[in-house]
Amino acid sequence: MKVVAMVGSLRRDSFNRRLAETVRDRYRDRLQMEFADLSVLPPFNQDEELNPPPVVQAFKAQVAAADAVFIFTPEYNWSVPGVLKNAIDWLSRGERVMVGKPVFIAGASTGMLGTIRAHLHLREILASPGVSARVMPPGGNEVLVNFAADKFAPSGPLVDPATLSFLDDVMERFIQFAASAQDARHTP
Ligand SMILES: Cc1cc2nc3c(=O)[nH]c(=O)nc-3n(C[C@H](O)[C@H](O)[C@H](O)COP(=O)(O)O)c2cc1C
């Protein structure tokens, strides 16, 4: 499965980036993951939505060509980081490349609640008419890595055994979900 990863943190030593890299490496036999660079995207401007700048066109083409989108995001001030929302806004206008796209969500935070508020907002955003992504149902599939500082190797991957085992289960379900979603793609 060809996957594009979006990481909501631009921080060099980001836990969410390292979570994405963990997923890329752990499931490399089943996923071909490439990263979208959200740092190069300009702020969304509706004047440009039908003829966006080349970096945005490239980003939209990258997403359009993927079988699934994986989002790894921290929670900023109880919501989704601006860079991630900005990226989704670009994807939602002109050619609506997220419509029907299978989406996997995961998040890591240093606090106790593991990005749950950001996830809930993100699910609403992904359900909006311009986005209409096909997000895996939440029950039992919410990858919320709390107390991240205790669960990653220093500047390295996720190493917490219980979290990795849960991730394995969710990934198995996502791969099946994405395969069935491909058969049932809806149009805007
Ligand atoms: C601007 C800002 C706002 C934050 N707000 C929250 C928050 O609402 N909830 C939370 O659990 N952590 C919050 N944090 C702490 C993040 O969980 C922590 O910085 C985490 O390491 C960010 O993810 P990253 O390592 O991928 O950059 C915030 C951090 C920043 C920089």
Side-chain angles (χ1 to χ4, degrees), residues 33 42 49 55 60 77 79 90 99 119 128:
M33 182 184 289
E49 66 184 11
V55 286
K60 293 184 75 167
N77 302 314
S79 190
W90 278 118
V99 173
H119 275 219
S128 67

Side-chain angles (χ1 to χ4, degrees), residues 9 11 13-17 74-78 108-111:
S9 170
R11 195 167 75 85
D13 204 29
S14 160
F15 289 113
N16 285 279
R17 174 88 193 184
E75 178 174 290
Y76 280 177
N77 302 314
W78 291 14
S109 83
T110 48

Side-chain angles (χ1 to χ4, degrees), residues 11-172:
R11 195 167 75 85
R12 254 190 314 278
D13 204 29
S14 160
F15 289 113
N16 285 279
R17 174 88 193 184
R18 288 191 266 150
L19 179 59
E21 289 166 352
T22 302
V23 167
R24 178 196 62 193
D25 296 345
R26 191 170 177 86
Y27 310 108
R28 64 166 67 252
D29 292 346
R30 308 181 73 183
L31 310 175
Q32 294 86 52
M33 182 184 289
E34 57 180 50
F35 285 85
D37 184 359
L38 306 191
S39 72
V40 299
L41 302 176
F44 175 77
N45 181 343
Q46 195 182 357
D47 289 338
E48 299 178 342
E49 66 184 11
L50 298 180
N51 188 21
V55 286
V56 175
Q57 289 181 27
F59 170 55
K60 293 184 75 167
Q62 185 184 28
V63 170
D67 299 312
V69 169
F70 281 32
I71 299 177
F72 300 89
T73 188
E75 178 174 290
Y76 280 177
N77 302 314
W78 291 14
S79 190
V80 172
V83 289
L84 178 59
K85 179 63 163 59
N86 184 55
I88 296 171
D89 287 344
W90 278 118
L91 297 174
S92 72
R93 303 291 291 188
E95 193 196 345
R96 295 175 174 175
V97 294
M98 288 296 283
V99 173
K101 191 74 73 182
V103 175
F104 173 92
I105 301 172
S109 83
T110 48
M112 185 171 63
L113 297 181
T115 74
I116 184 64
R117 296 185 187 94
H119 275 219
L120 294 173
H121 284 185
L122 182 57
R123 284 182 176 277
E124 285 193 39
I125 293 162
L126 294 171
S128 67
V131 185
S132 282
R134 211 170 270 266
V135 185
M136 189 156 71
N141 294 320
E142 290 166 299
V143 181
L144 304 164
V145 184
N146 63 358
F147 300 128
D150 300 332
K151 294 180 178 170
F152 287 74
S155 296
L158 176 71
V159 290
D160 180 66
T163 310
L164 287 169
S165 167
F166 176 64
L167 195 56
D168 289 345
D169 292 345
V170 178
M171 195 56 58
E172 197 57 50

